[in-house]
Amino acid sequence: MNATFFPPMPDELAEAHAGRVGAFLAGPISKSQRHSLIRKLAEAVVPSAGALPNSWQLAALSGMPRTDYVRHHTMLPVIAVVEGQGPTSPFGAEKPSRVIRSGATLHARRVHLCRKCVQEDLSSRPYSWFRRNHNLPGIEMCPRHACPLESVHAPDPWCRLPHHWLARGDTEPSEINPQSKSECQFQVRLQETYQHFLDRDRPYHLAHLHAFLRKRARELEPKKSPYDMYSAVVFKAAPKEWVRRNCPEIGRGHVLDAIGSSIALPSHGFLYAVLLGAMFSSAEEFERSMALSDRTSSNDVELCRLAA
């Protein structure tokens, strides 16, 4: 098979990229058939690609460095938000762990699309594509059009393109109330926080981010104990209806308050986004606060060195 490149569309999630290639070349085929097709196409570009993770195969098929592909077309930046051991490495630079391998496929409970984005796609080309930022856990509105997303009702949503599902009538609008100011404002903060994660090229160091979160939580809830201050912050800021729909488990406070106990759960990227969305009015405020914290920490280290 001759080498042919199939680059992804902007913000196209890896599994959607594989589905689009499959739809173009073979029609609506199964997941296993898609992965087999992608492997063969990737091996025509890089003979050893068959032994690589799915996202790296797609990177080879795209003619992209794997670090760029993983960063821009997988969920890894919002799964592996923190790293606990040693200096952090760029996303996609190392052989993936179990959690990192899931980055190509992990997404919200249902696959979502935006009707207006589909219309824009079809106005300039004969096809549409699924966006990564439509399929982040807890996101129910399109960040570009501020309209409710629609979920696809099908066992394998990636086997067809978004406009196919709309034409078949196999979509349903999300339950968010676009007239609710609190829900819309929280959506914006959550979207901005996710985008901050997606724009990073590597994880935060676990100890640094957790120290920052503890300090901010104490500022917001000084009377709460360390065992329930995170849940107190979220319960005060997150709309109850949004919590009910997207993360009823947060109603059990220990899920949030024990966030530092493990970094092996993919859901933690979601929990970090919820926490930061509740703690700050915008990602810009979070970034300023984090930058100030970085400078303060550096100054403290230097003072300790001089004192020694």
Side-chain angles (χ1 to χ4, degrees), residues 214-234:
R214 285 193 298 271
K215 180 177 182 294
R216 179 60 173 170
R218 290 193 192 102
E219 292 172 354
L220 296 172
E221 294 291 343
K223 296 182 179 180
K224 291 291 183 179
S225 76
Y227 302 104
D228 61 359
M229 59 184 181
Y230 289 158
S231 54
V233 170
V234 171

Side-chain angles (χ1 to χ4, degrees), residues 87-244:
T88 58
S89 300
F91 295 120
E94 299 178 354
K95 190 165 180 64
S97 66
R98 176 181 62 81
V99 171
I100 292 177
R101 284 198 301 272
S102 73
T105 56
L106 191 73
H107 47 76
R109 292 186 179 98
R110 291 178 175 177
V111 173
H112 294 93
L113 58 85
C114 168
R115 186 175 291 264
K116 291 185 178 180
C117 285
V118 171
Q119 292 170 350
E120 287 185 354
D121 294 344
L122 297 179
S123 70
S124 59
R125 54 181 56 82
Y127 59 88
S128 58
W129 67 94
F130 287 103
R131 267 75 166 171
R132 181 174 61 165
N133 65 3
H134 291 162
N135 289 286
L136 296 161
I139 295 301
E140 299 176 294
M141 296 183 70
C142 174
R144 175 176 173 82
H145 297 106
C147 62
L149 296 172
E150 299 183 40
S151 59
V152 177
H153 288 270
D156 183 11
W158 309 119
C159 74
R160 301 179 190 275
L161 304 183
H163 64 283
H164 295 148
W165 296 119
L166 287 174
R168 293 164 64 96
D170 289 331
T171 66
E172 181 180 353
S174 64
E175 295 181 48
I176 190 171
N177 177 7
Q179 305 304 317
S180 170
K181 185 176 180 180
S182 63
E183 287 204 57
C184 293
Q185 288 177 339
F186 188 73
Q187 280 285 297
V188 171
R189 296 203 302 275
L190 193 61
Q191 289 164 352
E192 289 179 346
T193 304
Y194 273 133
Q195 192 59 52
H196 173 80
F197 293 159
L198 294 172
D199 288 342
R200 288 181 59 81
D201 70 340
R202 66 191 66 217
Y204 283 105
H205 194 276
L206 178 68
H208 182 196
L209 182 59
H210 281 207
F212 175 78
L213 290 173
R214 285 193 298 271
K215 180 177 182 294
R216 179 60 173 170
R218 290 193 192 102
E219 292 172 354
L220 296 172
E221 294 291 343
K223 296 182 179 180
K224 291 291 183 179
S225 76
Y227 302 104
D228 61 359
M229 59 184 181
Y230 289 158
S231 54
V233 170
V234 171
F235 293 158
K236 184 178 290 186
K240 292 181 180 179
E241 285 301 303
W242 178 87
V243 172
R244 177 189 62 78

